[in-house]
Amino acid sequence: MKNFKFQSIAVILFIFTVLTSCSSDDDNTPKDDSIYKSAYVTEVVGPTTGKTNQELSYSVAFQVENGCGQFHQMTDVSFDKVEGYQVEVKYPPTCSTNVPEIKRTVYKLMSPNAPGTYYLRFAKSDTEFLVTTVVISNN
C-alpha cells in the first residue's frame, strides 16, 4: 500500500512538472521600450471659421525634449473642468540628439453639426490652454 501511494504521488508530480515546464515562456510579440510623454503646444494655425459638418485641419506645433521625439497621438486633458487636447510624444529608449526641437503635426476634426462659436483648446503648460476660437455657420 505504501508503495502504491508513493508511485501515485510520484506520477502526479511527474505529470504536473511536465505540464508546467512545457508552457511557452517565449512571447514573440515585439517589446515596445518607447517612452510616452505629454508635450506642450507652442502654436496652432488653422481656420477660424467653418461650415457645419466640415473637416477642419490645424497645424499644431509642439516642443519635444530631443530630436528623436515623434508625435504619437492627441489625448484629452482637463484643467479646472475645462476640456481640451494635449499632444502625446513617443520617444525611443535611446537617442543621440538631446537638443529640444519644435515639431508639427496636422490635427483634423469634424466641425459640429450646430452653428455657433466653439473653442479649440490645446495644452500649452500644466495649467493653461492655447485657445483658438472657431465660428461655425450653416452650410
Side-chain angles (χ1 to χ4, degrees):
M1 187 72 172
K2 280 185 177 181
N3 209 9
F4 179 71
K5 277 187 175 180
F6 178 72
Q7 287 176 347
S8 297
I9 292 173
V11 168
I12 291 172
L13 286 174
F14 176 75
I15 291 172
F16 179 74
T17 304
V18 168
L19 290 176
T20 57
S21 66
C22 290
S23 66
S24 175
D25 292 336
D26 296 335
D27 187 9
N28 292 333
T29 57
K31 187 176 179 184
D32 184 13
D33 291 336
S34 298
I35 301 163
Y36 298 89
K37 293 184 179 181
S38 297
Y40 297 126
V41 171
T42 59
E43 180 185 40
V44 177
V45 178
T48 57
T49 61
K51 303 286 185 190
T52 55
N53 297 315
Q54 173 188 21
E55 184 176 83
L56 303 173
S57 295
Y58 293 88
S59 175
V60 179
F62 56 96
Q63 177 84 41
V64 294
E65 293 177 0
N66 59 46
C68 299
Q70 296 296 321
F71 174 80
H72 180 249
Q73 67 181 1
M74 287 290 184
T75 59
D76 295 329
V77 68
S78 176
F79 301 140
D80 295 328
K81 298 182 183 180
V82 177
E83 301 295 320
Y85 301 103
Q86 189 162 30
V87 174
E88 186 175 280
V89 177
K90 179 179 180 179
Y91 295 96
T94 58
C95 182
S96 59
T97 309
N98 288 326
V99 179
E101 290 184 16
I102 300 291
K103 298 225 175 166
R104 289 191 171 275
T105 189
V106 175
Y107 183 63
K108 295 181 180 184
L109 59 100
M110 288 298 290
S111 65
N113 57 6
T117 301
Y118 295 89
Y119 303 97
L120 189 58
R121 298 176 179 95
F122 292 95
K124 71 174 185 178
S125 73
D126 281 336
T127 57
E128 291 181 279
F129 287 117
L130 187 68
V131 181
T132 299
T133 304
V134 184
V135 177
I136 302 297
S137 60
N138 283 327
N139 288 333

